[in-house]
Amino acid sequence: MFITLPGYEGLYFQGVGVNLEYEDFAFTARDINSNMINLAPQLDDWGETSARDTIALTRYYQETYNIDKTYIEGYSGGGETLSLVLDRAPELYDAALMVSSQWDGGYDRVVEKKVPLYFFIGRDDDYYGSNSFRETYQELYDRYKDEGLSDDEIDDILVLDVRDEDYFDSHGISSQHAGGGLAAHEEDIMKWLLTK
């Protein structure tokens, strides 16, 4: 199962299904694995309400259907929600992708469960900047080192992918934040997520 949590354009008040008009993560996931259930909820907020709803939705599908793996992605504000989801129920997810966002959750349970986590952002993201992801990556890296994991083991479950201006320019995109959606079309990133 793949769950995609949207940014601003995908919030409930924008209209039914509008999140699927602006973000391609669900479609790329379907192209990689057509046998996967894809969920694209429209969130109520980027905080506690949507975190609780996402966890409840995940549990419902895991209990109702024959699901062996569950992957989750959050873009922009959806990434903030994702960090709260992973803070509260990391055991529900086999891997996570955070795109153009910031970390709002805690670290203890994520480290305990060793949830594979990929961070994708522009170096000069015009909404969040890249410092939050850099700091979160370093915090998780240091905690994994304290747990005795080797560099190779950490690299297998923790990736920080910061793209520079040239990457976005080459795609004709001036806003690095809006350009985060390009991650949905990076086959190596999506396969990393969906094969953990």
Side-chain angles (χ1 to χ4, degrees):
M1 179 170 68
F2 173 70
I3 304 168
T4 178
L5 304 178
Y8 180 79
E9 289 84 0
L11 290 179
Y12 75 96
F13 60 82
Q14 303 283 12
V16 175
V18 73
N19 51 328
L20 294 174
E21 294 178 27
Y22 286 97
E23 298 178 22
D24 294 334
F25 294 97
F27 301 109
T28 303
R30 179 200 59 205
D31 291 344
I32 291 172
N33 183 348
S34 61
N35 294 318
M36 191 160 45
I37 295 171
N38 285 279
L39 303 178
Q42 289 184 268
L43 305 178
D44 293 314
D45 62 14
W46 294 320
E48 298 295 334
T49 299
S50 289
R52 285 192 304 269
D53 289 349
T54 300
I55 292 167
L57 182 69
T58 302
R59 287 190 170 127
Y60 170 80
Y61 272 84
Q62 288 177 342
E63 292 167 2
T64 305
Y65 297 94
N66 183 20
I67 294 171
D68 59 346
K69 296 273 190 174
T70 300
Y71 308 102
I72 191 166
E73 168 271 327
Y75 179 33
S76 189
E80 293 184 53
T81 299
L82 173 53
S83 71
L84 298 173
V85 167
L86 294 178
D87 182 24
R88 286 153 184 73
E91 69 279 1
L92 299 178
Y93 307 95
D94 292 282
L97 168 63
M98 286 188 67
V99 178
S100 300
S101 191
Q102 70 181 17
W103 188 268
D104 293 341
Y107 301 108
D108 293 345
R109 299 198 65 214
V110 174
V111 171
E112 178 188 341
K113 296 298 179 184
K114 297 179 178 60
V115 179
L117 186 54
Y118 196 112
F119 297 101
F120 179 93
I121 198 163
R123 182 187 65 211
D124 300 309
D125 183 279
D126 36 303
Y127 192 80
Y128 291 101
S130 57
N131 284 341
S132 175
F133 273 7
R134 292 175 190 275
E135 291 167 3
T136 299
Y137 172 86
Q138 192 62 54
E139 179 69 25
L140 290 169
Y141 183 92
D142 291 344
R143 287 177 181 236
Y144 284 133
K145 286 301 274 187
D146 290 345
E147 294 278 322
L149 272 67
S150 69
D151 289 339
D152 287 343
E153 289 171 322
I154 296 171
D155 289 344
D156 187 53
I157 60 173
L158 188 63
V159 177
L160 175 62
D161 186 347
V162 179
R163 302 292 172 112
D164 63 21
E165 185 177 353
D166 291 343
Y167 171 77
F168 299 97
D169 288 347
S170 71
H171 289 87
I173 295 175
S174 59
S175 167
Q176 292 187 13
H177 184 71
L182 293 169
H185 302 284
E186 293 288 347
E187 189 175 353
D188 58 334
I189 294 174
M190 293 301 290
K191 283 190 173 178
W192 182 96
L193 173 66
L194 299 172
T195 56
K196 288 293 179 190

